Amino acid sequence: MSALLLASEAAGHAAESLGFPLLPALVLIPLVGALVILCIPAERDDTIRLVAVLTAIAAGATSIVLLTQFATGEPGFQFQSSATWIESLDIKLALGVDGISLFLVVLTGILFPISLLATKPDHNPKGYYFWLTALEVGCLGVFLALDLFAFFVFFELTLVPLYMLIGKWGHGRRVYAATKFFLFTMVGSVLMLVSIVAVAFAAKAGDGGTVTFDLVKIATSGRVPTGWAGALMFFGFVVAFAVKTPVFPFHTWLPDAHTEAPTAGSVDLAGVLLKLGTYGFLRFALYLFPVQAHDFAPVLLTLGVAGIIYGGAVAAMQKNLKRIVAYSSVAHMGFVVVGLFALNPQAIIGAILVMVNHGITTGALFVLLGFLYSRRHTYELSELRGIQKSAPVFAGIFTLVMLASVGLPGLNGFPGEFLVLLGTFIAHRWWAVVAAGGVIIAALYLLWAYQRVFHGTPDDANARFPDLRFSERAVMVPLILLIVGLGVYPKPLIDRMEPSVRALIVHIEEANPGWVAPTSEHGNDLSPVVVPAAASGGHEGEAEPGAGAHTATAEEGR
Amino acid sequence: MSSLAAVLAQAAPGLTAGPAAAAPTPTITVPDIEWTALLPILVLGLGAVLLLTLTSLARGTVTRSGYAIYTVLVATGAMATAAPLWGRVHAWDHLGKWELSPPYGPFSAVAGAIGVDGFSVFITLLIGVAVILGALLADDYLRREGIDGPEYYVLLLLSATGGVIMAMANDLIVLFLGLETLSIAVYVLAAIHLKRVQSQEAGLKYFVLGGFSSAFFLYGVAMVYGATGSTNLVQIKDLLAVKVPTHNALLLIGLGLMLVGLGFKVAAVPFHSWSPDVYDGAPSPVAAFMASGVKAAGFAGLTRAFLLGFGQFASDWQPVLYFLAAASMLVGAIVGITQTNVKRALAYSSINHAGFMLMALQAASPKGVTGLLFYLATYTFMTVGSFGIATLAGRTGDGHHDLADYRGFSRTNPALAGLFVLFLLGQSGFPLTSGFVAKFGSIAAAVDAGSWHLAVIGMVSAAISAFIYLRIIVAMYMAESDTEAAEKAPKAARIKVPFGAGLALVACALATIGFGILPNGLNRVAGEAEPVLVKEPVPAAASGADGAGLTGLDLTTIPTTPTTR
């Protein structure tokens, strides 16, 4: 705990030396951009597009600057800045970034310009670019906010833009999908608001026992309630994030929203917005409620594993390409949840890696699906076949991205999933074993879909499928570089995450006396576990424990 | 009827001053009347009477928009006279260039019948704002509907007079006078659209039910008088502080009946059934005033009677308010989502909002009052804005309020549609609008008072009621290309926005965004607007701030030293 405090002081020092308020700038750039777009007359759609793209690029560039200026090895929050918002409740607009949020910020910064460049809206461009830019404000704000109130504001702020994007520029049953998305998320987040208020008033963590909404102060006050009240507050947060992530039983809005959303909406939804939920788990559920996170970890692990298997199984049954990718997101998010609640450094680092890399690969997949839709105006598998012959470049890029999504070693999907499975295996062996099955299912449904769309003899419509244009290839280049680069060499990411993650683990250990995070360093984990024969028979009924474990590691090692 | 109400309003201070003064002092003396304290009431009331007199003497000579301008000026005048009171209550020694005379701090006037404290001044200002917005919205509306004339404005000012009396009442009889002055004027207002049968129906319905509720309230006052021997809140409070009747059925029945009367005025479930019909039937600007000004006055009455007068009985009325709040929030939300008429939907959403305000009130704490006032202030702008859009979208005849009428509204009237979205999002409690901060304050008060279950119910209802607003937004923005349905359904045509209504809408929009992004100022003002019961008209400056306060509830004390601002 004290380590965290010290670290944040040191980080504050680092930020001062820079002298430029990077984080407020990150939030303000898209905000100003959105307002500028609002002021441009609707007829001048080229200007509007230019402003939107430039805004997104400027925000992306700022996030890259942030990445270069970030002090590796610091566990605490850096570049902190805050301004008073509501005096009487000590609510501040406090921003800060640490190893956990850094790459999500950068991911947001990179994905938004790509999603903007990849497609154009078919009508009313002004509204479209306004809402997309406004969406970026909310996303960046969520990853940077260090005040519970400010976090909630940004968290909710993402709702209306995406609602409008899906509802106005989506396909098919867009109004249904948009409304479902809005109401699901809203129901989840209203309970979080009560929890936020409750935890702030219960902790009274301000200087002199006043109410404050400062995340670090509340988390380190040691007065976050435990027992019944604490559990209720914890679940207030968990439900909100579980809906947003989405965790298995709360996922039903996602396939609809994904399927009906316009391409840019899908890219940002899958790439960034789903991470709001998982990031929330990490930043709020684990950091704010370490006791409850430890106590209820098995519940969430189970839901995560269920999501992996269920998402994969349902994805394999889909007849619509976008729905397949949507359900694969459910499965991937399952990996993230499992990794987070395994509560050890490997798994959590793995989970963050999965978050970032899922953003890149799924973002890329949706961009590709957008290209496909703009040519064929369908996502139905039955209408697509043999595209490999008419569009080899498209097929090639699709193969690469798809294999990254499957988790092929050497591509960026692999390191994260591997670390999650490794860490989970140490902490909760059987959950890891089942989760590893999800990797196989992922290969199954994606390869099967690939086969149906790209192989075979094309009919007329598919034979005339034009290959990617230069601009479209150019959009894909940064994504491909990231997919290969982060797959081969993820170490720079891990180096920057690790101190923050370890500090978080220490925080959880301090809050749970007598509990030590199950890592191999402590030497208490990989020692052979004697599993009673009865238990092994009752669990899976298919393999004896040793063999199951082997399968898992062998699968990953390949 | 209107002139009768005017007379009542004028007579109110004088009538009540006598008996109230006689009780505490042995010798019967005519009380000193602190005229400055009465100025807001007098300006509004006299303004109404003057308007009525002048226009009946010289009919037809008023220029276009003259009535509306006059009403705005009168309301501004009333607010201007209230401003020095705020300064005195907060012990400023001067306001701008003006020296403010002592006594500083909250005080009561007219022999304890009228209480001037931060709360009453805040509500007075709020009602003034509601009158201004109501007049601006009505100006073009009345001409459009062919019912232009001074009557609407006279009644508006009179009902505002009643509202201000309620906000300042330190005596249950005065509270009743205010309630009746307010109500009778609004009954007529609801029926003022002579050419629309729904308006007549709404007026009658409101009148009959409202008459009952007033009778309930008066009966409750009588019961309370029987139990305590006084109608003066200060004396009741003092009496209850000395001897607490533990099983006093008379007092409890009295409280219950009073709650029915006031609950009706704020449209709390189960006393809400009139509001959808009346909001729908009444002319849209009147509905806007009912949802803002009348509601503010109703909550002022609730706060003064229950929180101030019967603060010691909080454990008795808190559970009842808890129930009313929960029921209002849930019924308002759940029934609201089934409505296909925008005005009715707004009426149910208004019931939902009343629940949120009751939630803040039932906390019975300074934080609760702050939350209530913040909510009232921000809700005034949001609801007037929403009904303002409905006023314009209703077009001649004031009848186009079906969801289908709003199809394609975003195309034909992009600016109005955008504003409507803003007001609707505000009402749904979306961040960066004032509605979010208001809901947050209400929840914070409830959680702080230990009733977090109520906060959960409230937020669930907020999520449900979001659907009400989404339906309207969907109709405006997303329903246009639904091929056949869109072609059959009547399309919204382009609407010319008159100056007055436009001004009101822009003001509401600015307030909704402004208080959402920078809530600090209003929040502080609402925090300083504490309701306080002061014992007697204060004779000397020395005892300037001898406020009894909500000592039983452990309110923070008022700063007594003069501060310079």
Side-chain angles (χ1 to χ4, degrees):
Chain A
M1 215 181 293
S2 51
L4 261 183
L5 278 176
L6 277 177
S8 61
E9 274 169 25
H13 193 69
E16 274 162 31
S17 64
L18 192 70
F20 180 75
L22 262 183
L23 302 188
L26 255 180
V27 180
L28 283 177
I29 288 171
L31 186 65
V32 172
L35 294 180
V36 170
I37 291 172
L38 212 53
C39 298
I40 303 174
E43 302 86 56
R44 306 182 58 183
D45 45 357
D46 283 342
T47 321
I48 290 173
R49 183 176 162 86
L50 186 70
V51 171
V53 171
L54 284 181
T55 305
I57 289 178
T62 316
S63 72
I64 301 287
V65 173
L66 182 71
L67 182 63
T68 58
Q69 299 288 327
F70 187 85
T72 312
E74 295 278 0
F77 291 105
Q78 309 186 20
F79 306 101
Q80 279 183 324
S81 66
S82 85
T84 303
W85 199 349
I86 300 177
E87 230 171 59
S88 59
L89 289 170
D90 194 20
I91 289 169
K92 293 190 294 285
L93 197 56
L95 305 176
V97 69
D98 70 351
I100 291 171
S101 53
L102 175 68
F103 290 101
L104 294 170
V105 172
V106 177
L107 174 73
T108 312
I110 293 174
L111 275 185
F112 269 87
I114 288 176
S115 68
L116 276 170
L117 285 169
T119 52
K120 279 185 183 178
D122 48 2
H123 66 279
N124 196 348
K126 181 174 171 176
Y128 177 84
Y129 288 115
F130 169 75
W131 290 119
L132 257 183
T133 316
L135 184 63
E136 191 172 7
V137 181
C139 293
L140 287 170
V142 165
F143 293 137
L144 296 174
L146 292 185
D147 181 285
L148 292 177
F149 184 89
F151 167 78
F152 185 81
V153 166
F154 287 122
F155 193 78
E156 287 284 276
L157 207 56
T158 57
L159 214 55
V160 169
L162 201 59
Y163 171 74
M164 285 292 187
L165 283 172
I166 298 174
K168 264 204 105 166
W169 290 273
H171 320 291
R173 300 159 71 204
R174 57 207 160 81
V175 175
Y176 167 79
T179 308
K180 191 171 176 182
F181 157 76
F182 193 97
L183 292 180
F184 261 70
T185 327
M186 179 109 184
V187 170
S189 53
V190 291
L191 294 177
M192 179 167 73
L193 183 62
V194 180
S195 287
I196 285 177
V197 174
V199 77
F201 275 82
K204 291 207 191 311
D207 307 322
T210 53
V211 173
T212 184
F213 286 80
D214 188 300
L215 169 69
V216 180
K217 278 186 187 162
I218 294 177
T220 54
S221 70
R223 285 199 294 274
V224 173
T226 50
W228 253 109
L232 284 174
M233 291 175 202
F234 174 71
F235 276 105
F237 278 89
V238 163
V239 168
F241 300 140
V243 170
K244 198 83 173 181
T245 299
V247 174
F248 162 58
F250 306 102
H251 66 279
T252 58
W253 63 268
L254 181 77
D256 289 315
H258 259 327
T259 313
E260 312 305 351
T263 299
S266 293
V267 172
D268 296 329
L269 179 61
V272 178
L273 279 141
L274 303 188
K275 278 73 196 181
L276 303 188
T278 49
Y279 173 77
F281 275 124
L282 191 52
R283 179 67 82 217
F284 296 90
L286 294 189
Y287 184 46
L288 214 46
F289 299 95
V291 178
Q292 292 84 346
H294 169 253
D295 292 349
F296 293 106
V299 177
L300 283 140
L301 279 170
T302 310
L303 291 181
V305 170
I308 296 173
I309 301 300
Y310 175 86
V314 177
M317 293 299 115
Q318 295 305 310
K319 295 181 170 59
N320 179 309
L321 263 179
K322 249 187 159 179
R323 285 188 96 85
I324 294 179
V325 182
Y327 277 105
S328 87
S329 288
V330 175
H332 279 117
M333 291 301 108
F335 271 106
V336 176
V337 172
V338 168
L340 293 180
F341 284 90
L343 296 182
N344 65 11
Q346 284 94 333
I348 292 182
I349 289 174
I352 304 174
L353 280 177
V354 174
M355 284 190 223
V356 175
N357 291 319
H358 171 263
I360 296 168
T361 43
T362 310
L365 271 180
F366 276 120
V367 171
L368 289 170
L369 291 184
F371 295 157
L372 187 143
Y373 187 82
S374 67
R375 289 162 167 77
R376 294 281 290 110
H377 295 283
T378 182
Y379 295 117
E380 294 300 318
L381 288 174
S382 53
E383 309 242 332
L384 303 164
R385 109 176 55 95
I387 292 177
Q388 197 171 22
K389 291 212 171 60
S390 43
V393 177
F394 179 72
I397 296 176
F398 198 96
T399 315
L400 180 84
V401 176
M402 179 203 67
L403 288 176
S405 183
V406 169
L408 193 78
L411 299 177
N412 67 343
F414 174 71
E417 281 183 13
F418 176 71
L419 280 174
V420 166
L421 289 172
L422 181 72
T424 312
F425 186 76
I426 294 167
H428 301 275
R429 177 166 298 183
W430 287 102
W431 276 274
V433 170
V434 180
V439 182
I440 305 168
I441 303 180
L444 176 82
Y445 60 75
L446 278 174
L447 288 173
W448 193 19
Y450 181 85
Q451 180 201 347
R452 284 184 285 178
V453 173
F454 288 93
H455 289 182
T457 324
D459 54 11
D460 267 4
N462 290 314
R464 288 198 308 272
F465 191 96
D467 210 342
L468 293 187
R469 289 188 299 272
F470 175 76
S471 62
E472 291 169 335
R473 294 181 198 184
V475 166
M476 293 309 295
V477 167
L479 290 172
I480 292 170
L481 287 180
L482 283 171
I483 286 172
V484 177
L486 295 181
V488 175
Y489 194 61
K491 188 164 177 296
L493 272 69
I494 297 175
D495 284 346
R496 284 167 177 78
M497 293 169 191
E498 199 175 345
S500 300
V501 172
R502 287 200 185 275
L504 178 67
I505 294 288
V506 170
H507 176 72
I508 298 173
E509 282 178 344
E510 281 174 4
N512 294 288
W515 178 80
V516 179
T519 55
S520 50
E521 294 147 38
H522 293 288
N524 66 345
D525 31 52
L526 281 183
S527 52
V529 180
V530 183
V531 182
S536 76
H539 271 306
E540 294 308 315
E542 31 144 89
E544 55 109 356
H550 258 309
T551 324
T553 36
E555 175 65 30
E556 287 313 311
R558 196 159 38 80
Chain B
M1 195 176 282
S2 57
S3 58
L4 175 73
V7 173
L8 271 179
Q10 292 314 300
L15 272 181
T16 50
T25 47
T27 53
I28 299 174
T29 47
V30 180
D32 287 336
I33 296 179
E34 181 66 73
W35 290 104
T36 48
L38 298 180
L39 266 180
I41 302 174
L42 293 178
V43 169
L44 286 172
L46 285 178
V49 175
L50 195 66
L51 179 61
L52 197 62
T53 317
L54 289 183
T55 49
S56 51
L57 289 178
R59 197 166 255 290
T61 57
V62 179
T63 55
R64 196 181 134 94
S65 302
Y67 304 124
I69 294 170
Y70 174 85
T71 308
V72 169
L73 288 178
V74 169
T76 314
M79 290 166 74
T81 55
L85 293 178
W86 178 267
R88 278 172 63 184
V89 165
H90 291 91
W92 303 350
D93 49 11
H94 62 273
L95 180 77
K97 280 182 181 172
W98 289 353
E99 290 275 319
L100 290 179
S101 60
Y104 297 125
F107 59 97
S108 62
V110 204
I114 292 284
V116 178
D117 51 27
F119 178 83
S120 54
V121 179
F122 190 96
I123 297 282
T124 304
L125 295 175
L126 200 53
I127 291 175
V129 170
V131 168
I132 292 176
L133 294 174
L136 287 176
L137 283 186
D139 178 36
D140 184 74
Y141 174 87
L142 295 176
R143 235 174 291 127
R144 183 183 88 196
E145 304 292 325
I147 48 174
D148 198 15
E151 296 85 1
Y152 172 89
Y153 302 97
V154 171
L155 292 165
L156 191 67
L157 286 172
L158 281 178
S159 71
T161 315
V164 174
I165 293 174
M166 283 176 82
M168 291 189 170
N170 255 7
D171 190 296
L172 292 175
I173 294 296
V174 177
L175 189 56
F176 177 72
L177 274 171
L179 185 71
E180 279 301 88
T181 314
L182 171 93
S183 306
I184 293 173
V186 179
Y187 301 150
V188 185
L189 275 179
I192 207 163
H193 199 318
L194 300 171
K195 299 170 183 169
R196 214 174 152 235
V197 69
Q198 293 99 317
S199 177
Q200 310 296 306
E201 185 194 326
L204 188 66
K205 196 172 247 171
Y206 194 26
F207 172 66
V208 172
L209 292 175
F212 270 113
S213 83
S214 296
F216 270 106
F217 181 80
L218 193 59
Y219 200 26
V221 172
M223 296 267 195
V224 168
Y225 181 75
T228 62
S230 174
T231 56
N232 189 293
L233 290 174
V234 184
Q235 286 170 19
I236 292 172
K237 187 182 156 67
D238 285 351
L239 180 83
L240 295 179
V242 182
K243 47 176 185 180
V244 178
T246 43
H247 293 291
N248 195 331
L250 200 57
L251 184 60
L252 291 181
I253 293 173
L255 281 179
L257 292 174
M258 279 164 57
L259 196 57
V260 172
L262 291 170
F264 178 87
K265 280 292 157 239
V266 302
V269 175
F271 316 116
H272 69 289
S273 57
W274 59 275
S275 84
D277 292 346
V278 174
Y279 280 32
D280 182 26
S284 301
V286 176
F289 182 73
M290 286 200 287
S292 56
V294 175
K295 202 157 254 185
F299 273 103
L302 271 176
T303 310
R304 292 207 85 86
F306 286 85
L307 196 62
L308 286 185
F310 297 94
Q312 284 104 326
F313 273 63
S315 56
D316 283 311
W317 52 257
Q318 260 177 321
V320 184
L321 279 194
Y322 187 106
F323 167 75
L324 291 184
S328 302
M329 292 190 288
L330 287 177
V331 171
I334 293 170
V335 183
I337 57 178
T338 63
Q339 302 301 315
T340 55
N341 179 306
V342 170
K343 271 172 89 181
R344 290 185 78 88
L346 286 176
Y348 278 104
S349 109
S350 167
I351 294 170
N352 176 261
H353 288 288
F356 272 93
M357 296 182 224
L358 284 170
M359 171 159 80
L361 186 60
Q362 72 88 37
S365 66
K367 210 170 243 129
V369 176
T370 308
L372 170 68
L373 288 177
F374 191 93
Y375 210 117
L376 273 175
T378 52
Y379 178 64
T380 294
F381 290 106
M382 290 185 290
T383 192
V384 170
S386 304
F387 278 109
I389 305 277
T391 305
L392 296 175
R395 287 188 289 283
T396 310
D398 201 2
H400 298 85
H401 296 299
D402 215 63
L403 268 182
D405 295 321
Y406 283 81
R407 278 172 178 279
F409 201 62
S410 69
R411 262 202 199 152
T412 48
N413 302 282
L416 284 181
L419 285 176
F420 205 9
V421 168
L422 174 68
F423 297 133
L424 293 173
L425 288 179
Q427 293 195 51
S428 78
F430 189 70
L432 297 191
T433 63
S434 57
F436 172 67
V437 190
K439 282 203 167 68
F440 185 79
S442 183
I443 285 169
V447 170
D448 197 35
S451 32
W452 59 267
H453 350 63
L454 193 56
V456 171
I457 294 174
M459 288 321 287
V460 169
S461 84
I464 299 171
S465 70
F467 192 67
I468 303 177
Y469 313 119
L470 281 191
R471 281 184 74 170
I472 302 177
I473 295 176
V474 165
M476 290 195 301
Y477 277 87
M478 297 167 191
E480 51 208 302
S481 59
D482 281 349
T483 54
E484 283 177 46
E487 278 159 28
K488 269 187 224 156
K491 281 239 172 170
R494 181 143 191 101
I495 295 165
K496 194 173 172 302
V497 181
F499 177 74
L503 192 66
L505 289 178
V506 168
C508 291
L510 288 180
T512 303
I513 294 185
F515 292 140
I517 296 177
L518 302 168
N520 217 0
L522 181 62
N523 203 40
R524 199 168 52 223
V525 171
E528 285 171 2
E530 283 161 293
V532 178
L533 274 184
V534 183
K535 278 184 181 138
E536 275 301 293
V538 193
S543 50
D546 189 21
L550 288 172
T551 39
L553 289 161
D554 195 26
L555 268 182
T556 49
T557 49
I558 309 289
T560 53
T561 47
T563 49
T564 311
R565 302 238 174 163

